Amino acid sequence: MRAVVAAVLGGTGALAMAAGLAAPAGGAIAPGPDASGAGRARAEARGTAVAAGRAAATGIRWADCGPKEHLDPPVRCGTVTVPLDYARPRGRQLTLAVARRPASGRAPGPAAPGGRTGRTVRTPRQGALVFGAGGPGATGVYFPLMPDMAAFWRPVAAAYDLVGYAPRGVGGHAPLSCVDPREFASAPTQAPPRPSAAYRWRRYTQAKAYAEGCARRAGTALRHYTTAANARDLDVLRAALGERRLTFVGASYGTYLGAVYASLFPSHVRRMVFDSPVGPGPGALWYRAALARAKALQTRWADFLSWVAAHDGRYHLGTTAAQVARRYERVRGELAARPAGGTVGPGQLQAAFLKAAHYDDYWPVRAAALSAYAQGDPGPLVRQAAPIGAAAAEQENAQAVYTAVECNDAPWPRSWRAWDRDAARLARTAPFATWDTVWTHLPCAHWSTPGRRPVDVHAGAGTLPSTLVLAARRDAVTPYAGARELHRRLAGSVLVTELGAGSHIIAGAGNSCVDTPVLTYLLRGRPPALDTACAPHPPPRAF
């Protein structure tokens, strides 16, 4: 269920992570220019007020969602218009898709004797709750479906309109694109665990071509895909919804979006939940964060290998983590020589098993697929790892937005020597995901404009209402150091930690020690009095 919930919340594509590594070899990252500048920042603030005023007057015209959205009543759809450039609020406009599930007004009551479902309880409406999805590049329009998938969200849906939206560049309204989706989804692909110098250089030149494709297709608009712009869009959405203050739940990258929003618009915040936070320190974004994530993924991969070894009677892949790791590498080598089903090579294998390092819900199905392949049946692995042609355009769009936002948000090293040295050093101790992480972010070495100086996320005492920060101690997608950093930067925040657990995105996943404080906060406005440590959820059952 955790993985299903996270997929709907847009977390599966989240590649953001916390700080923690030293400066790159070959010299520190040079600070990017203050692309906003004092004058531009004032212009953007004025432009946001203009756009928000316009949205408040216009509102959102809700209608039934189209067949492409797969959203049926009571969910309804609409759009919000925002400026491409907030310094020019009457210039080119972008359209954001929005979905809303109106508050039901009735929450599940206490269970009746004998386990029967209790009567529903009338619940006063508290306004709109807006969800910030992961990525960057994920859509949040499916968030209103959550009450149909997880009981946790039903009392929330009784009190709030559940609102999700597709950020700028995401989805059907002028989607950002960097390459033909057919080229993006081509398979099989290689993923050598120890790439040669020639292979590494080839990936460097491919990243250059990708960055050039982004610049060519988007033109001068490309520089306006940033987290700061996303935060301004969020304020326009708040106004269009008729909300004086924002109630917000952010997951993964959505936490960084929410943190930037809280820093830019503190007086517009009502309640905020940050689930699995990105470390918001300006010096951590995004290069050092990428390397820190690769380091953390090695630890989480080891958790998966140990779990598989503990269930050798079911999977027959080895009785120790080392034996399971060797079997995995043997399969990777076999797929390099002969792709399964003609489409699953080492690259597809790595992408599929990376999800096992994100969510432990994937552990049984991935272990079963690996076991079946090792015993001569590639079918389960092909079904789990083969690319889905119908999803190619959506995935290419998500990757384009992800790349644009992170490359624009912060400075990146421009020297291949620095990237290569840092990755080679880290790969000695964290080989599982280091090189894949590098290939994902390498277009930023060639980006057409320098990265900006990140927003300085902070809120002093009394600046914000109390906020709630949630994190799993062994989360590798957004390592725990990021949660502590956000907690430190937002005065009055309360941190809830799931100890000994590593699944990404934890609200509504079934741990009552996590879920109860979230519900109490959202429904009654009362966070825990103190930071809270929770026992982990049970490990998955082998099947």
Side-chain angles (χ1 to χ4, degrees), residues 19-23 29 279-289 410-411 454-456 485 489:
L21 254 67
I29 303 173
L285 301 168
W286 287 102
Y287 179 71
R288 294 182 182 90
V455 173
D456 185 14
E485 176 73 5
R489 286 175 170 269

Side-chain angles (χ1 to χ4, degrees), residues 260-279:
V260 170
Y261 181 91
S263 299
L264 295 177
F265 306 102
S267 64
H268 295 182
V269 173
R270 178 177 179 264
R271 293 171 193 165
M272 279 191 158
V273 177
F274 303 94
D275 188 346
S276 306
V278 172

Side-chain angles (χ1 to χ4, degrees), residues 104-110 118-124 158:
S104 69
R106 290 185 174 275
R119 294 182 177 180
T120 59
V121 178
R122 287 187 177 274
T123 303

Side-chain angles (χ1 to χ4, degrees), residues 94-118:
L94 300 174
T95 301
L96 312 183
V98 185
R100 180 186 68 164
R101 183 190 193 114
S104 69
R106 290 185 174 275
R116 299 189 306 274
T117 303

Side-chain angles (χ1 to χ4, degrees), residues 169-191:
V170 177
H173 296 279
L176 191 65
S177 175
C178 293
V179 68
D180 187 313
R182 291 171 296 181
E183 179 183 343
F184 179 81
S186 63
T189 56
Q190 296 298 319

Side-chain angles (χ1 to χ4, degrees), residues 41-72:
R42 288 192 293 271
E44 289 176 334
R46 289 193 297 268
T48 306
V50 169
R54 188 166 56 208
T58 304
I60 300 174
R61 183 174 297 176
W62 300 107
D64 288 346
C65 304
K68 290 178 61 177
E69 282 80 10
H70 304 290
L71 294 167
D72 298 322

Side-chain angles (χ1 to χ4, degrees), residues 403-487:
T403 304
V405 171
E406 291 208 351
C407 294
N408 286 331
D409 260 5
W412 292 81
R414 295 288 175 151
S415 162
W416 167 236
R417 186 177 181 183
W419 287 79
D420 196 35
R421 285 182 177 177
D422 285 350
R425 177 184 298 166
L426 181 58
R428 293 173 197 146
T429 55
F432 174 65
T434 292
W435 289 109
D436 293 321
T437 299
V438 169
W439 312 144
T440 296
H441 298 88
L442 198 51
C444 296
H446 306 282
W447 208 240
S448 56
T449 56
R452 299 184 175 205
R453 182 171 294 128
V455 173
D456 185 14
V457 169
H458 70 278
T463 304
L464 286 176
S466 294
T467 57
L468 196 58
V469 180
L470 315 175
R473 185 66 180 84
R474 295 179 70 80
D475 186 354
V477 182
T478 52
Y480 186 67
R484 293 179 61 86
E485 176 73 5
L486 180 63
H487 179 38

